[in-house]
C-alpha cells in the first residue's frame, strides 16, 4: 500500500509554455500533498504544502504565480509550471500523506527540461 | 529553524563490509527523524523513521539507525552492504506538521 504516482515521468517543453505535472495517491486518500524540487546532486527543497480543498502554502522564495498548485481531490494534486524558462528545469517530486502524524510517501519524480 | 547535516558527501564501501552514514540535526523540540534512499532518477523510499520510544530503529533492507539526543545524531547503519545498496541516502527531520527538511545527501558507492 501507500503508492504515489507522478505523470509524466519526464517532459521537454519550449520556453514560455506551461507544463502540468500530476501527483496521485493510488491506494489511499491524501489529505496533504507536498511538492519538492531537486537540482542535480542536491537535496530536495520543499516548494509548497497542499491540503485538499484549500489553497497551497508556499515556502519562502517560491513564486506562487509561477508554480500553480491545485489539490482538488483526496487523490490528486497538480503542479503547473507557468511560462516555463530554462532555469525551471529540474526534478520535481511530490509526496502524500493520509493526514495527521502520518508518514509521507514519495512519487517517482518528474524530470522537466525547458529548452 | 531546523536543519540537517550529512557530513559525508560520498562514501565508497566494499560489498559485504559494514556501512555507517552520519546525520546530525538541529531542532528545538523532539524531532521526527527519517532516512530515505533514492536510486538514480527515482523518487525517495523510506528506510526507517523515529518518532519516540526505543532509540534503535529497525528499517527495511537490513538498515537500522540510532537516535542519540545528546549528540543530536541519527546515524544509519548496515552490517553487510550489497551492491544494490548503491544509491543516494537522505536524512530528514520533520516539524510537528511533518514538513520535512532534508540533508544534502550521501552518495554510496559499492565496489565488488
Amino acid at each position: 500500500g501507500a503508492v504515489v504516482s507522478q505523470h509524466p515521468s519526464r517532459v521537454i517543453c519550449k520556453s514560455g509554455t506551461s507544463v502540468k505535472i500530476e501527483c496521485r495517491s493510488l491506494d489511499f486518500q491524501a489529505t496533504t500533498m507536498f511538492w519538492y524540487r531537486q537540482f542535480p546532486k542536491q537535496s530536495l527543497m520543499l516548494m509548497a504544502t497542499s491540503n485538499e480543498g484549500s489553497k497551497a502554502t508556499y515556502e519562502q522564495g517560491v513564486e506562487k504565480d509561477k508554480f500553480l498548485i491545485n489539490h482538488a481531490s483526496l487523490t490528486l494534486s497538480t503542479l503547473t509550471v507557468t511560462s516555463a524558462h530554462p532555469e525551471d528545469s529540474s526534478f520535481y517530486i511530490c509526496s502524500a500523506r493520509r493526514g495527521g502524524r502520518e508518514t509521507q510517501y514519495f512519487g517517482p519524480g518528474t524530470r522537466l527540461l525547458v529548452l | 529553524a531546523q536543519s540537517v547535516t550529512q557530513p559525508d558527501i560520498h562514501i565508497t564501501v566494499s560489498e559485504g563490509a559494514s556501512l555507517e552514514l552520519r546525520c546530525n540535526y538541529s531542532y528545538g523540540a523532539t524531532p521526527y527523524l527519517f532516512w530515505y534512499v533514492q536510486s538514480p532518477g527515482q523518487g525517495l523510499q523510506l528506510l526507517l523513521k523515529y518518532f519516540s520510544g526505543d532509540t534503535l530503529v529497525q528499517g527495511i533492507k537490513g538498515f537500522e539507525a540510532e537516535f542519540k539526543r545528546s549528540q543530536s545524531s541519527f546515524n544509519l547503519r548496515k552490517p553487510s552492504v550489497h551492491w544494490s545498496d548503491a544509491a543516494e541516502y537522505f536524512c530528514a527531520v520533520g516539524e510537528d506538521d511533518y514538513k520535512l527538511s532534508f540533508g544534502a545527501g550521501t552518495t554510496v558507492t559499492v565496489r565488488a
Side-chain angles (χ1 to χ4, degrees), chain A residues 34 36 38 41-46 49 57 59 91 93 97 100-109 111, chain B residues 32 34 36 38 41-46 49 51 88 90 95-105 107:
Chain A
F34 302 85
Y36 295 85
Q38 184 181 30
K41 302 296 184 182
Q42 295 188 29
S43 188
L44 283 74
M45 299 299 295
L46 179 65
T49 302
T57 302
E59 295 300 301
F91 194 52
I93 302 175
R97 72 172 195 224
R101 296 181 179 277
E102 292 282 340
T103 300
Q104 291 183 39
Y105 296 95
F106 285 79
R111 177 79 59 192
Chain B
Y32 295 79
F34 307 80
Y36 288 88
Q38 184 182 34
Q42 302 295 313
L44 274 69
Q45 181 181 23
L46 178 66
K49 59 188 178 185
F51 294 163
E88 187 84 12
F90 292 98
E95 298 178 359
D96 288 342
D97 62 354
Y98 273 38
K99 288 169 58 175
L100 297 181
S101 293
F102 287 84
T107 301

Side-chain angles (χ1 to χ4, degrees), chain A residues 29-101:
Chain A
Q29 293 186 325
T31 58
T32 306
M33 288 184 171
F34 302 85
W35 286 96
Y36 295 85
R37 183 173 179 176
Q38 184 181 30
F39 291 101
K41 302 296 184 182
Q42 295 188 29
S43 188
L44 283 74
M45 299 299 295
L46 179 65
M47 299 174 64
T49 302
S50 164
N51 290 297
E52 186 267 337
S54 61
K55 290 184 178 181
T57 302
Y58 291 81
E59 295 300 301
Q60 190 173 8
V62 177
E63 301 175 60
K64 60 181 180 181
D65 294 330
K66 173 77 171 176
F67 299 99
L68 300 179
I69 293 173
N70 182 278
H71 192 165
S73 77
L74 286 171
T75 59
L76 174 65
S77 177
T78 60
L79 168 68
T80 301
V81 183
T82 63
S83 186
H85 288 94
E87 58 265 30
D88 298 324
S89 299
S90 191
F91 194 52
Y92 293 87
I93 302 175
C94 74
S95 71
R97 72 172 195 224
R98 290 182 178 88
R101 296 181 179 277

